[in-house]
Amino acid sequence: MISCNGGLNQMRAAICDMVAIARYLNVTLIVPELDKTSFWADPSEFQDIFDVNHFITSLRDEVRILKELPPRVKRRVELGMYHSMPPISWSDISYYRDQILPLIKKHKIVHLNRTDARLANNNQPYEIQKLRCRVNFKALRFTPQIEDLGKRVVRLLRQNGPFLVLHLRYEMDMLAFSGCNQGCSSEEVDELTKLRYAYPWWKEKIIDSDMKRKDGLCPLTPEETALTLRALDVDPNIQIYIAAGEIYGGRRRMESLSASYPKLVRKETLLEPSDLGFFQNHSSQMAALDYLVSLESDIFVPTYDGNMAKVVEGHRRYLGYKKTILLDRKVLVQLIDQYNNGSMSWDEFSSAVKESHSSRMGNPIKRLVIPDRPKEEDYFYANPEECLESAVELTSSI
């Protein structure tokens, strides 16, 4: 039994890992339980977001997956006759063989909680890596309702030409968690600080926003994003679909972006309220809709390298290295500050931005491996290179 934690894409990667682990251990997996206690407090069950029957049948030649515990086993759980624990982060598959499998044999039922980032990125058996991809790209299909609405949004966008998806990670929770407050008023800084202290599992409390920004650890602001897109010569007439929740600071913070790119749209502006009624207060289902639109976009630009940005990046690589502009925030904020203080002309600024991003367009690269420092390695799901042979063939034949 597994209980996932975090937002949609954090849980998505965890599900892929846990299926691969269950297959390796040759044990039965119960359909994963999704996080309902995170910041977003989404009550959705697995089957509300993913096509559960497809998930089970598409993997039946690999692992036995049940929708729920059989009655006899369920009774054991009700009596507390099972073992519950969080696995150790970034563990090699051998950890599950040597530490977890004996517990399953002893207790019959093991419940793994906090399942994010529990399997290492690199040096896993090839068949494990391939199965992680098979789950991610084939087995985890959204419900027909979400898939159909995603296709409708893409059709509406395509009617008006090419479109760029901007994952503008500038929502209140992101800013409170990261401590980034560039461009915020003193009242907003106070509000964000209070929110950060209100969540005990956000460990970092005292944060130097300016230092964090200089280190490239803050999401780009809407103003910084507008300058960057212009510097990269993104067509001002292109449609930009904002894949995000409510932008903190609202219209005031979006002014420069909407002035530079007037064709800004969101799912809420493309669809009728009745279309989205079912999804209200279900942030993971809203994120699933944005995920589908992001996959289909002509260009995908994330302003922060969070879970959605990474998983979409990897999925777009799998689909044939579709253009994904991976912003170097540390370089960008230095260039933006130089441009804003007048020490760099627009042409110099634009040229420097283009040069620093010429090899950051989602092109084929090797995944960075750092022995003994797994947290600092490139994330498997952002670049699942073991699964990208077909994508390489596709791009080389074009």
Side-chain angles (χ1 to χ4, degrees):
M1 295 160 38
I2 69 168
S3 294
C4 301
N5 59 299
L8 173 68
N9 292 288
Q10 191 170 319
M11 294 192 289
R12 183 186 185 105
I15 291 164
C16 299
D17 287 354
M18 292 296 141
V19 170
I21 291 162
R23 171 69 185 88
Y24 186 78
L25 301 181
N26 194 25
V27 297
T28 299
L29 178 74
I30 306 302
V31 165
E33 178 187 38
L34 303 187
D35 190 345
K36 300 175 185 62
T37 61
S38 68
F39 175 87
W40 304 278
D42 187 335
S44 300
E45 303 288 354
F46 185 97
Q47 62 270 19
D48 296 324
I49 298 172
F50 300 108
D51 185 331
V52 66
N53 292 326
H54 174 77
F55 176 69
I56 293 170
T57 56
S58 66
L59 293 167
R60 63 186 170 195
D61 62 332
E62 294 281 2
V63 62
R64 184 175 186 235
I65 304 174
L66 301 178
K67 288 184 181 178
E68 58 183 7
L69 291 163
R72 179 177 56 82
V73 182
K74 192 173 186 179
R75 179 68 179 149
R76 288 176 64 95
V77 171
E78 289 168 352
L79 293 170
M81 299 168 63
Y82 68 100
H83 185 73
S84 185
M85 62 177 286
I88 295 172
S89 298
W90 308 113
S91 294
D92 187 81
I93 195 70
S94 61
Y95 161 79
Y96 291 91
R97 180 191 66 218
D98 299 338
Q99 303 291 325
I100 303 300
L101 187 56
L103 290 172
I104 296 173
K105 288 178 176 177
K106 178 182 177 181
H107 298 280
K108 308 304 179 193
I109 310 159
V110 168
H111 171 236
L112 299 180
N113 53 48
R114 295 195 65 81
T115 52
D116 65 315
R118 303 294 146 158
L119 186 58
N121 294 302
N122 298 299
N123 301 318
Q124 305 310 308
Y126 183 69
E127 63 272 16
I128 289 291
Q129 304 292 58
K130 293 289 281 187
L131 182 54
R132 291 166 101 174
C133 294
R134 180 175 168 187
V135 181
N136 193 20
F137 303 135
K138 303 294 185 185
L140 281 178
R141 192 162 70 190
F142 294 123
T143 63
Q145 185 175 19
I146 294 172
E147 292 272 347
D148 290 347
L149 199 56
K151 287 173 185 170
R152 195 189 329 165
V153 171
V154 171
R155 276 199 307 272
L156 289 168
L157 288 162
R158 284 265 173 258
Q159 286 173 6
N160 297 308
F163 69 96
L164 177 153
V165 166
L166 180 63
H167 187 222
L168 189 61
R169 195 69 174 91
Y170 207 75
E171 301 101 335
M172 188 177 188
D173 67 293
M174 179 71 239
L175 301 181
F177 170 75
S178 65
C180 298
N181 52 41
Q182 177 79 4
C184 294
S185 67
S186 57
E187 291 82 3
E188 288 172 333
V189 172
D190 288 343
E191 183 178 43
L192 293 171
T193 304
K194 284 175 184 173
L195 180 61
R196 182 164 67 254
Y197 276 88
Y199 284 86
W201 54 89
W202 291 353
K203 302 298 183 189
E204 196 178 15
K205 301 299 182 187
I206 301 172
I207 299 173
D208 184 330
S209 176
D210 290 338
M211 185 67 69
K212 201 160 189 180
R213 176 177 175 268
K214 284 186 171 68
D215 288 339
L217 299 175
C218 287
L220 290 188
T221 67
E223 296 88 352
E224 291 167 342
T225 303
L227 278 174
T228 301
L229 295 179
R230 284 176 53 209
L232 288 167
D233 288 342
V234 172
D235 185 348
N237 291 310
I238 197 170
Q239 298 171 97
I240 294 186
Y241 176 93
I242 304 291
E246 187 176 345
I247 301 303
Y248 192 63
R251 189 174 294 177
R252 174 179 68 86
R253 297 307 301 271
M254 293 294 286
E255 279 177 357
S256 60
L257 188 58
S258 56
S260 299
Y261 294 92
K263 294 183 180 177
L264 290 182
V265 295
R266 307 173 61 102
K267 48 190 171 290
E268 293 85 356
T269 59
L270 289 167
L271 298 168
E272 296 297 325
S274 57
D275 295 320
L276 291 170
F278 181 81
F279 298 86
Q280 293 303 322
N281 303 316
H282 294 81
S283 60
S284 289
Q285 295 180 49
M286 287 288 205
L289 192 58
D290 283 343
Y291 186 95
L292 288 170
V293 181
S294 298
L295 289 186
E296 293 297 323
S297 63
D298 297 281
I299 308 171
F300 176 64
V301 184
T303 60
Y304 187 72
D305 55 354
N307 289 294
M308 175 161 166
K310 290 174 179 173
V311 178
V312 170
E313 175 194 343
H315 206 148
R316 286 174 66 85
R317 288 179 186 277
Y318 178 78
L319 294 173
Y321 295 99
K322 299 175 80 169
K323 187 171 184 178
T324 302
I325 304 178
L326 304 169
L327 301 177
D328 188 332
R329 297 187 305 282
K330 188 172 182 178
V331 168
L332 280 171
V333 296
Q334 292 173 353
L335 293 174
I336 287 168
D337 287 348
Q338 289 177 56
Y339 170 69
N340 283 336
N341 67 24
S343 62
M344 183 180 270
S345 70
W346 174 259
D347 288 345
E348 289 169 331
F349 171 67
S350 179
S351 178
V353 170
K354 286 179 191 139
E355 185 179 347
S356 60
H357 288 79
S358 60
S359 61
R360 299 177 65 90
M361 298 289 172
N363 42 297
I365 53 169
K366 290 292 289 180
R367 196 167 63 238
L368 177 65
V369 180
I370 309 176
D372 303 322
R373 283 153 61 194
K375 279 188 178 181
E376 297 172 42
E377 296 181 321
D378 284 345
Y379 189 45
F380 173 81
Y381 292 99
N383 185 17
E385 57 185 45
E386 295 89 338
C387 315
L388 302 181
E389 294 93 337
S390 57
V392 173
E393 291 163 11
L394 178 63
T395 52
S396 63
S397 64
I398 293 175

